[in-house]
Amino acid sequence: MPDHDSDSLLNRQTKRRRVDIGVKRTVGSTASSTAAATTTTTTDNIARAKAAIFSAMNSLSSHSHHGSDTDSMECSVVQPHGGPGVVSASDSESKSNVLRKLLKRANSYEDTMMPFPGTTIISQLLKNNMAKNGGPERGERGDRGDRGDRGDRGDRGDRGDVGFPGSGLSNASSDAPQEDACSNSSHDSTPQECLSPFGRPPGLATFDIERLNDEHLRAKRARVENIIRGMSHSPSVVVPAASRHEREHEMDRDREMDLDCPPPQSQQQAPSSPRGGEVCSSSSRENKRKQRLPQQQQQSFTQLVCQRKEQKQEERRQLKLQLEDMQKQLRQLQEKFFQIYDSTDDSEHNDLHNDLHNDIGNMSEDSPARSDTGGDDRGGDDLRSDNEMSDLDPGHFLDRARALLQEQAMLAAREKPRREGLSRSKGQGGPGSSMHAEGKQLAETLKQELNSAMTQVVDTVVKVFAKPPRPTPQQAFPSLSIPPERFPTTVNGDNPNFHTTNQRLQCFGDVIIPNPLDSFTSMPGMPGPTNDQTEAIPLVVRKTPSEHHHHHHHQSSAVGAHGGHHHPVLHPSSLSASMGFSPPSFRHPFPLPLMGYPFQSPLGGPTGGYPGKDRSSPDSMDLSRETTSLRTKMASGHHMGHHHRSCSPAHPGSTAEGLSLSLIKSECSDLQDMSDISPYSGSNIQEGLSPNHLKKAKLMFFYTRYPSSNMLKMFFSDVKFNRCITSQLIKWFSNFREFYYIQMEKFARQAINDGVTGVEELGVSRDSELFRALNMHYNKANDFEVPERFLEVAEITLREFFNAIVAGKDVDPSWKKAIYKVICKLDSEVPEIFKSPNCLQELLHE
DNA sequence: TGCCCCCCTG
DNA sequence: CAGGGGGGCA
């Protein structure tokens, strides 16, 4: 039977035969997962993402139809990039607080000052402004411009703006907006699903209530988009798509909570897009919107428009009143100041006066630029009138406030002409009355605070609202921030999406997203207010397509859709250079101290304190010798050959890139592992498996064919274990077994071919071919005395194979399984000497 | 789902 | 020997 001699036939026969003996092995606590355990493919992720989008879409639609406030709250205004809006909110709030503090001090100085009616002026104004802005037009230009040609994965596109990978994870965790889903599904030939929620009513049979809901929805959307555009000021500013989506969801909630605010005339501009230049990319979306506007709705829409106008009038009146209040208070404040210093300190007053003038002048300088860029694309020109100032962006309001201040200052200056021309030198007045000194001090303080406050306010406003045009959506995320004050009905702090976004930020450490809060807090240190716009850009690491693909592939292949804790190589320079600190939202995948880990020789520091388990001080010297010899061997470089040991950092020949990629691929990049490993840098604990470890493992195979993870840890105590190391060791033994069983089967068949009829004739001795083959494999140098027990086990194994083949059991695809079960019980105890890291020296020198 | 196994391929 | 796929098991 010559067939049995053929290895190829043997392979063919065993091919596809699953022989899982199901050996239950004690797994150590740190024992873990092989890289091959995750077999999720990219397509799987995509499919999951789609499913998640659709499910989220359906749930959202049901919520909106049922008027669930809380649920739609989750979709309120959120910056998927970490919330510039939140930042600007806190920032402007702090500024306004400064103002308030100022006024409060003046108030306490003389209790005639009226308290401000609102909590914060700016926030109030922003609120009002926001509430009015939605109507006349809808800022579809900016956001849709970059989204129309997005790929088949809208979610990916959204996250991609800020470098988020279009992973199933993000898809699943994010509330997929309907329009986004629509965009996606349009490419997937499943448009019905996305239209179902709000979608075009199926013909004329739609109920009026649904139409009204649709009306409201679009109106809200128009409002919000208009707000966004109003803030952008620049025609080319792009609204991050994700932001817009979430804002759309916020509108759902608005519809419930803010019904008294009728929708604007937004639908008018749907057919007539103001900017044709960007229509091309956004035409598809616009068509969608047009389709969603049935003709039957025009009538109700007109009513809504009228309502809207009334509402606007009312709000304008209120804003005017508020303006007058503020004006009045400003006047009072200045009068108080002047009264205080009028009779005693002309120079101080003059100083203050001049300072005020300077401030006003400075503020007025930058205001026109911002105002010109802002609102230039507004649809309603009449909105620029003073009465409708509130319809403009907050910048206009600030301009107005500045003008008032200037007016007051000039008025006050004219009232006291005699102070003009006096010296402004400080302390000139000399020690006068206590009132005088106190007044001076107060004046100084007030001047400084007012100066700084106003400067900061102006800078902040300019920063937030006069961001430069972002040509690509990838750059757009920090540019458009929606101060939460603009959404009075949205409690930004409780926004679940915000948290989700932050969590996402935490998860995707590879995505370098500057925390806008940090940008603002660090703003005073910025070179100048005019350079602010370029500050945020370098903080964004835009993923190149290759990077993106790499990340995506890696994530899908290595972790599937669950983990996502994989950190591709990023550009540390881009971040660390521009940020002297790590913002909370950014998590460096490879902390720089740890990044050096793979590149430093694990044998580099033989003199560290050895935290080993069962080692005495004399062994340390041996270990040092061993590591030294290892280092020498590896420095020679002929050990590794062509083998690419991804998990072993002990290969100086590997390039940094290769190592990084290997680390990523092999889950050695696990941060926990890295952080666990790093303390061992410089110690005698090796972070990787060396050729000697392989040799040792082979020798151990003579005793145990199925070592447990704990056993491996015990016998490789000089290796810092992690999942990768464990997997590699397990893989080693798996490969050993493979070779072992192949040899057994081969020799069993050979014996059968040789006419052996009984197992009694089969024996394994040190002279047998089988043993030589095995010894050549596991003990090539033959410098280790193979235990007798191994010969017995080999004989048993050979006989098992022989019997099985003779009995014709090899026709069973899993016929080896029974043999494996038998063999796995034949493991013997590994000598204690193998636990010593320098066992090789001791063993091989015997 | 994680872990481990075997099987196959390079 | 490593990588990856497929499968079993808890």
Side-chain angles (χ1 to χ4, degrees):
Chain A
M1 307 260 269
D3 286 344
H4 291 185
D5 294 341
S6 170
D7 279 341
S8 59
L9 175 63
L10 203 154
N11 284 337
R12 264 184 273 121
Q13 284 173 336
T14 60
K15 192 172 274 186
R16 289 291 111 199
R17 295 188 178 179
R18 297 301 171 194
V19 254
D20 192 347
I21 62 175
V23 179
K24 182 77 174 89
R25 304 197 318 187
T26 313
V27 181
S29 59
T30 60
S32 54
S33 67
T34 64
T38 59
T39 60
T40 312
T41 64
T42 303
T43 51
D44 289 336
N45 270 343
I46 294 175
R48 265 194 289 271
K50 287 174 182 173
I53 288 173
F54 287 140
S55 97
M57 186 175 59
N58 289 334
S59 72
L60 281 173
S61 70
S62 65
H63 287 327
S64 60
H65 278 288
H66 297 151
S68 171
D69 282 358
T70 55
D71 285 329
S72 40
M73 271 285 262
E74 297 176 358
C75 312
S76 57
V77 193
V78 172
Q79 305 302 313
H81 324 297
V86 175
V87 166
S88 59
S90 61
D91 193 73
S92 64
E93 206 161 9
S94 69
K95 308 307 183 202
S96 59
N97 281 335
V98 173
L99 283 176
R100 209 165 17 149
K101 191 171 141 195
L102 259 177
L103 295 168
K104 208 173 170 185
R105 290 180 76 164
N107 206 9
S108 64
Y109 193 77
E110 268 189 341
D111 277 345
T112 58
M113 191 57 94
M114 275 173 54
F116 268 84
T119 50
T120 67
I121 303 174
I122 295 190
S123 63
Q124 278 294 101
L125 294 174
L126 291 178
K127 279 183 192 174
N128 285 338
N129 186 40
M130 185 276 307
K132 294 187 169 98
N133 254 344
E137 65 229 81
R138 304 168 11 171
E140 295 183 304
R141 160 192 51 83
D143 49 352
R144 286 179 300 145
D146 59 299
R147 301 196 69 255
D149 54 353
R150 286 261 162 214
D152 52 347
R153 304 186 59 195
D155 175 84
R156 178 190 171 95
D158 294 342
R159 311 305 176 206
D161 292 348
V162 291
F164 274 116
S167 65
L169 176 66
S170 72
N171 276 332
S173 62
S174 65
D175 298 324
Q178 295 163 3
E179 279 211 9
D180 205 348
C182 266
S183 304
N184 296 337
S185 60
S186 65
H187 296 275
D188 299 329
S189 68
T190 55
Q192 303 86 350
E193 299 190 49
C194 63
L195 286 177
S196 56
F198 295 108
R200 201 174 12 193
L204 303 175
T206 312
F207 293 109
D208 284 344
I209 184 65
E210 287 186 80
R211 294 207 309 260
L212 285 176
N213 280 342
D214 195 272
E215 254 340 291
H216 280 297
L217 171 65
R218 282 198 307 280
K220 298 288 181 186
R221 178 179 301 147
R223 270 176 50 218
V224 177
E225 287 176 354
N226 187 38
I227 291 158
I228 305 310
R229 212 185 53 190
M231 286 191 309
S232 68
H233 286 308
S234 176
S236 54
V237 170
V238 176
V239 176
S243 307
R244 190 183 56 77
H245 294 155
E246 277 147 7
R247 260 173 264 129
E248 287 174 359
H249 291 287
E250 188 261 347
M251 290 187 297
D252 296 344
R253 184 182 50 74
D254 263 5
R255 178 176 54 188
E256 304 299 332
M257 302 179 61
D258 197 18
L259 276 176
D260 56 343
C261 187
Q265 313 87 309
S266 58
Q267 276 68 18
Q268 297 172 356
Q269 53 88 29
S272 64
S273 177
R275 279 150 304 277
E278 315 206 21
V279 165
C280 55
S281 58
S282 61
S283 57
S284 62
R285 295 178 67 82
E286 220 157 31
N287 286 337
K288 280 193 175 73
R289 296 199 177 188
K290 278 192 247 183
Q291 288 169 355
R292 291 184 185 182
L293 181 62
Q295 294 297 325
Q296 306 97 289
Q297 301 180 358
Q298 290 299 333
Q299 189 174 3
S300 62
F301 177 65
T302 318
Q303 297 173 354
L304 291 173
V305 168
C306 295
Q307 243 183 320
R308 170 69 178 172
K309 285 181 178 177
E310 292 177 2
Q311 178 86 7
K312 280 177 67 176
Q313 291 293 335
E314 177 62 25
E315 290 182 2
R316 286 171 190 167
R317 280 194 297 272
Q318 290 180 0
L319 194 72
K320 275 182 72 176
L321 286 176
Q322 207 172 2
L323 262 175
E324 289 174 1
D325 273 350
M326 202 171 80
Q327 198 172 352
K328 193 172 161 188
Q329 291 177 19
L330 280 170
R331 198 176 293 121
Q332 286 177 344
L333 178 63
Q334 294 211 343
E335 284 175 1
K336 296 298 172 193
F337 289 157
F338 296 149
Q339 285 176 7
I340 290 166
Y341 312 120
D342 188 14
S343 57
T344 56
D345 190 2
D346 291 341
S347 65
E348 273 309 314
H349 172 257
N350 197 23
D351 200 354
L352 172 65
H353 181 82
N354 286 338
D355 280 351
L356 284 174
H357 259 296
N358 289 339
D359 278 351
I360 292 164
N362 289 338
M363 287 184 293
S364 300
E365 281 176 7
D366 46 12
S367 61
R370 194 196 32 65
S371 303
D372 289 344
T373 56
D376 55 345
D377 51 351
R378 298 191 148 275
D381 292 335
D382 55 341
L383 297 181
R384 289 186 174 278
S385 67
D386 286 345
N387 286 341
E388 302 185 4
M389 180 181 64
S390 60
D391 281 334
L392 301 176
D393 60 62
H396 285 267
F397 189 84
L398 280 180
D399 291 343
R400 185 65 176 172
R402 291 183 203 121
L404 288 173
L405 271 174
Q406 195 170 11
E407 203 175 283
Q408 298 298 321
M410 298 205 26
L411 198 66
R414 265 187 256 110
E415 288 172 358
K416 295 148 178 83
R418 68 176 186 275
R419 295 189 200 98
E420 298 296 326
L422 289 182
S423 169
R424 296 177 53 182
S425 65
K426 299 193 176 181
Q428 183 200 3
S433 64
S434 64
M435 176 68 176
H436 185 170
E438 194 177 7
K440 269 179 70 176
Q441 197 170 4
L442 177 65
E444 281 297 324
T445 307
L446 281 174
K447 281 193 299 184
Q448 290 174 2
E449 290 196 9
L450 200 62
N451 238 335
S452 63
M454 290 308 287
T455 305
Q456 289 180 13
V457 167
V458 170
D459 286 348
T460 303
V461 171
V462 169
K463 263 185 193 304
V464 174
F465 298 110
K467 289 288 181 183
R470 306 300 180 113
T472 61
Q474 281 81 4
Q475 302 169 339
F477 79 90
S479 64
L480 293 176
S481 59
I482 304 176
E485 299 101 293
R486 289 177 162 238
F487 297 88
T489 56
T490 298
V491 183
N492 56 73
D494 296 334
N495 198 319
N497 273 353
F498 173 71
H499 297 304
T500 303
T501 303
N502 273 351
Q503 287 162 6
R504 225 176 284 134
L505 290 176
Q506 296 291 336
C507 281
F508 295 91
D510 56 304
V511 182
I512 300 178
I513 297 174
N515 190 342
L517 183 59
D518 296 326
S519 302
F520 278 100
T521 51
S522 61
M523 184 179 60
M526 286 182 177
T530 56
N531 296 336
D532 56 346
Q533 292 151 353
T534 60
E535 291 302 316
I537 296 175
L539 301 181
V540 187
V541 173
R542 289 176 285 280
K543 299 172 83 63
T544 63
S546 60
E547 284 172 347
H548 208 108
H549 173 266
H550 168 240
H551 179 90
H552 182 65
H553 167 73
H554 167 231
Q555 198 180 37
S556 59
S557 64
V559 236
H562 331 288
H565 292 280
H566 285 272
H567 313 286
V569 184
L570 47 82
H571 316 277
S573 61
S574 60
L575 185 92
S576 51
S578 52
M579 297 174 110
F581 54 91
S582 290
S585 62
F586 167 70
R587 188 177 168 197
H588 202 295
F590 290 127
L592 289 181
L594 298 180
M595 285 192 73
Y597 140 70
F599 313 110
Q600 59 182 269
S601 171
L603 316 169
T607 60
Y610 176 67
K613 290 97 183 162
D614 51 356
R615 289 184 49 84
S616 58
S617 51
D619 289 339
S620 298
M621 295 303 294
D622 295 334
L623 180 65
S624 296
R625 279 191 283 112
E626 180 188 359
T627 54
T628 304
S629 71
L630 274 175
R631 178 172 42 195
T632 307
K633 285 181 180 178
M634 296 200 310
S636 64
H638 68 275
H639 270 76
M640 303 316 299
H642 67 283
H643 286 148
H644 151 79
R645 310 257 300 279
S646 62
C647 292
S648 175
H651 308 313
S654 302
T655 64
E657 177 181 339
L659 275 176
S660 297
L661 291 177
S662 300
L663 286 169
I664 293 158
K665 276 192 82 176
S666 61
E667 296 187 357
C668 285
S669 62
D670 187 86
L671 279 177
Q672 186 59 42
D673 291 340
M674 299 285 284
S675 55
D676 285 344
I677 288 165
S678 61
Y680 291 86
S681 302
S683 71
N684 287 328
I685 296 292
Q686 292 186 229
E687 290 96 350
L689 292 171
S690 67
N692 277 354
H693 289 121
L694 177 60
K695 192 170 185 176
K696 180 179 171 181
K698 285 181 175 179
L699 296 182
M700 284 175 62
F701 185 79
F702 286 126
Y703 298 92
T704 174
R705 268 64 57 188
Y706 291 88
S708 66
S709 298
N710 282 334
M711 192 188 305
L712 292 175
K713 288 191 184 70
M714 272 192 297
F715 286 91
F716 293 91
S717 57
D718 59 333
V719 178
K720 174 58 184 167
F721 265 76
N722 54 32
R723 287 200 296 266
C724 179
I725 297 297
T726 306
S727 297
Q728 188 176 4
L729 278 171
I730 289 174
K731 181 65 176 178
W732 279 358
F733 278 87
S734 177
N735 288 331
F736 299 159
R737 285 192 299 269
E738 188 170 12
F739 179 82
Y740 175 82
Y741 288 126
I742 287 173
Q743 296 301 313
M744 292 298 169
E745 182 181 0
K746 174 181 158 185
F747 278 88
R749 294 185 184 276
Q750 188 174 347
I752 293 173
N753 289 341
D754 290 344
V756 175
T757 55
V759 292
E760 311 83 37
E761 305 174 31
L762 284 176
V764 175
S765 69
R766 300 183 189 271
D767 301 329
S768 59
E769 287 270 334
L770 175 60
F771 177 79
R772 283 208 290 269
L774 295 174
N775 194 52
M776 182 61 80
H777 190 72
Y778 306 116
N779 184 23
K780 184 167 289 189
N782 200 21
D783 48 3
F784 176 75
E785 183 179 355
V786 178
E788 199 69 27
R789 173 67 176 164
F790 179 75
L791 296 175
E792 301 172 12
V793 174
E795 188 173 299
I796 296 171
T797 308
L798 180 63
R799 291 179 177 179
E800 286 289 330
F801 269 91
F802 179 87
N803 288 332
I805 293 170
V806 167
K809 292 180 181 178
D810 55 346
V811 297
D812 184 359
S814 60
W815 66 283
K816 293 179 181 176
K817 188 174 179 177
I819 302 175
Y820 298 157
K821 276 186 177 178
V822 173
I823 304 305
C824 74
K825 295 173 184 173
L826 301 179
D827 282 2
S828 52
E829 286 292 315
V830 180
E832 287 292 316
I833 191 171
F834 279 92
K835 292 182 180 178
S836 172
N838 57 331
C839 63
L840 282 183
Q841 274 85 355
E842 302 178 13
L843 288 170
L844 304 181
H845 286 81
E846 281 179 355

